[in-house]
Amino acid sequence: MNYKLTIGWLYPELMSTYGDRGNIVVLQKRCEWRGIKTKIKRLDLGFNLNDLKSCDLLFMGGAQDRQQKIVANDFAKEKIKALKDMVESETPGLYICGAYQFLGKYYKEADGTIIPCLDILDLYTVNPGANHPRLIGNIAVELQGVNTCSPSRCNCSYTLIGFENHGGRTYLGKNIKPLGKTLVGFGNNGNDKTEGAFYKNSFGTYLHGPILPKNPLFADSLIRLSLEKKYLPHQKAGGSPTINLSPIDETLENKARSAIAKRLNVKL
Amino acid sequence: MNILLVLFGKLLSTISRFFNLGSGSTWPGHLALLINKNFIKDLLKNSKIKVILVTGTNGKTTTGKLIQTVLEKSGKKVFQNASGANLLNGIASSLLLHSSILDKINYDYAIFEIDENILPFILKEITPDYLILLNLFRDQLDRYGEVNTITKKWQKALSKLSKNTTLILNADDPQIASLRRHLEGVNIKFFGIDSKNNTEKTQHASDSIYCPNCGEKLTYISTYFSHLGDWICKKCHNKHPQETFTSSPFYPLSGVYNQYNTNAAVLLAQALGFDKEKITASLKGFKPAFGRQEILDIEGKKAQIFLSKNPTSFNESLRTIASLNAKTILIVLNDRIPDGRDVSWIWDVEFENYVDSFEHIIISGERCYDMALRIKYANSLKNQKIAIGQFNNLTIEDDLRKTIKISLSKIDTKQTLYILPTYSAMLEVRKILTNKKIL
């Protein structure tokens, strides 16, 4: 089968700090190396709704406050609705840091001001103010949000390795589950040991690094989910994997992962 | 009071160097400030010395050294703070070490490179005669926060600037040039580079392509690198300043970024009244600051170090060495505090444009495997060869000493090994290379 994926990159110009575009590079290359054709659709300010709807996988990175305000202004009602529909209909997506917060219900500033967000995911974020330190450092997370097994190999337990750097503390509502359990680091809020969130095939996380290069099985899961959603539309979300991706050598990935895991005293 | 502190500090610094406890470039000042928090202010109050401050993400050390070279060539007595000792304690130490024991400063000029984050604090202590703002790029987001945050702090600090200070601003950086707003009565001069031979397509790590005034996307008539260029806001008509100095008579270092550093230094020298011939002559005798295009000779082979500490400086290093036809390169990536603990930024570097032109890429440092992954994904090979890790021109070795040996073995006599290290890695590389016995 000649697979083809359209990857939608939401606001590459504005929502892209901390090397987040590395995630796009990884998704694209891991597809190409397997003969899966990819098209990267850059969805910048004023993007066309049909372009968004044509995507099989979505990605949005973090941003500076000012940039995020510009994006918020660009997110007109019909854009929010279209994105919400895609999330509800199980289009896979990865949302990092600022984007993760942005998909929630609201962001509460230190002075109590409530900034409404897109209200797509059942979560909210609180900025506790300048007296509380930003949550910064290397982080290890036991992945719970997605099955990283493939029909040919089982990796049911997988540890995500990354770097977090956020002032906001995120709390999850009833209708959403954490992406994983924080083993070392702060995660969503530094208290409840949760990190990130997943709802259907949408994944939010605070992990930079960027997240995908050092967590190739998570990257492959996103690719697999996108292919399954596109080519096997009747398969239920969260079911066991059916499409088998050919393996890619992970020597370098494993060395990069274990270098950090060793420092954090985490077993991979 | 300060007489005692100066004496005490000098003594401490001597002891420190004698027992090899460090260069003493920060902590004597740290102690002096603990005892007298107005130490810097008091010391400068009684002095006729002219103070030049240089800040920005990239180019502080080189620009400072360029200015020092020009001034010294004209017979002026000049001192500069130690590279990297650019927080309050470093400034205090530098003043302390250059004061006589009677707390008099017998110099004509002091040049201080200032960490961009602490400029507001420094301006409370020091009224500079000249303040050079070079640029703002993303750098160590874990430590500094975002570019916009720093600009806001600067704008606030500059609003209280003395009328005796001349501001020297980069006209091509919209964030920097836009600081002129709300600064009536302040003497401002602009530098930039000549648009004729420097146009590039915008690179990825562009931070300030939105108008600092109204938030509208800026229009670029030409772009030189990152967000530097000839810009205009079509909405609020904020635009690149017209009168901009772009023509140093001589450029001692390669790289577009060094054209900026040189033009900033020459503009300052002209403002101080030095004539063109003297400036040219001193630039011709310029020796780079350590690790900034510094060339070391190792048994007939050359190693040239290009400090590469953030996406922009890395991109410009790559562009410069590619123009020098580099074939063998060594990249050293560390993640200590001076490097930034987050190495995500390497994914904002445009390796894709360059990796295929290098014959050997050698990688070391504490995060060598992160860098190796970046190179793996930057390679243009479409087939599985790269995916399965068989790229013949990549060597990864975490032992730095061994790495340097391997790297030098890959070049012939008279060839150059190009080394691109982060900050702490640069210090280590230099230490190994300058101690020739080890090789």
Side-chain angles (χ1 to χ4, degrees), chain A residues 2-21:
Chain A
N2 286 328
Y3 292 131
K4 216 174 134 184
L5 284 181
T6 303
I7 302 172
W9 186 2
L10 281 153
Y11 302 101
E13 280 192 7
L14 287 153
M15 304 287 284
S16 186
T17 40
Y18 305 99
D20 283 335
R21 73 146 175 181

Side-chain angles (χ1 to χ4, degrees), chain A residues 100-239:
Chain A
Y100 166 45
Q101 299 171 345
F102 193 47
L103 257 65
K105 291 179 175 300
Y106 62 85
Y107 185 95
K108 191 172 162 191
E109 300 256 35
D111 63 6
T113 316
I114 298 231
I115 302 167
C117 294
L118 299 182
D119 197 11
I120 293 174
L121 300 180
D122 184 17
L123 55 91
Y124 64 94
T125 303
V126 178
N127 184 337
N131 298 332
H132 298 258
R134 284 179 77 83
L135 308 178
I136 302 177
N138 289 307
I139 177 171
V141 177
E142 185 190 316
L143 179 64
Q144 295 164 334
V146 64
N147 189 340
T148 53
C149 293
S150 69
S152 66
R153 72 188 216 188
C154 184
N155 291 84
C156 293
S157 139
Y158 196 61
T159 303
L160 298 174
I161 299 283
F163 191 95
E164 61 181 325
N165 181 0
H166 51 109
R169 272 69 165 171
T170 295
Y171 298 90
L172 306 184
K174 280 184 206 143
N175 302 318
I176 195 159
K177 291 209 170 77
L179 177 66
K181 183 181 151 199
T182 311
L183 300 173
V184 180
F186 301 100
N188 279 333
N189 46 54
N191 288 324
D192 62 14
K193 293 270 170 202
T194 65
E195 205 302 304
F198 80 97
Y199 173 71
K200 298 192 172 176
N201 285 334
S202 294
F203 303 90
T205 176
Y206 275 117
L207 266 64
H208 299 289
I211 184 171
L212 296 184
K214 273 206 298 295
N215 299 292
L217 290 194
F218 184 48
D220 285 352
S221 299
L222 293 171
I223 296 170
R224 175 182 57 78
L225 286 170
S226 309
L227 292 173
E228 287 172 354
K229 161 82 180 133
K230 184 171 183 178
Y231 294 97
L232 305 165
H234 301 299
Q235 183 175 307
K236 246 186 85 188

Side-chain angles (χ1 to χ4, degrees), chain A residues 13 21 29-30 33 214, chain B residues 217 347 370 377 379 384:
Chain A
E13 280 192 7
R21 73 146 175 181
K29 290 278 183 177
R30 294 186 81 80
W33 288 334
K214 273 206 298 295
Chain B
K217 191 169 173 178
W347 292 83
D370 282 82
Y377 279 97
N379 211 298
Q384 284 271 327

Side-chain angles (χ1 to χ4, degrees), chain B residues 230-244:
Chain B
D230 185 1
W231 52 275
I232 183 168
C233 173
K234 290 202 166 149
K235 192 171 167 196
C236 75
H237 307 296
N238 182 16
K239 66 173 184 186
H240 185 282
Q242 274 181 333
E243 271 184 45
T244 299

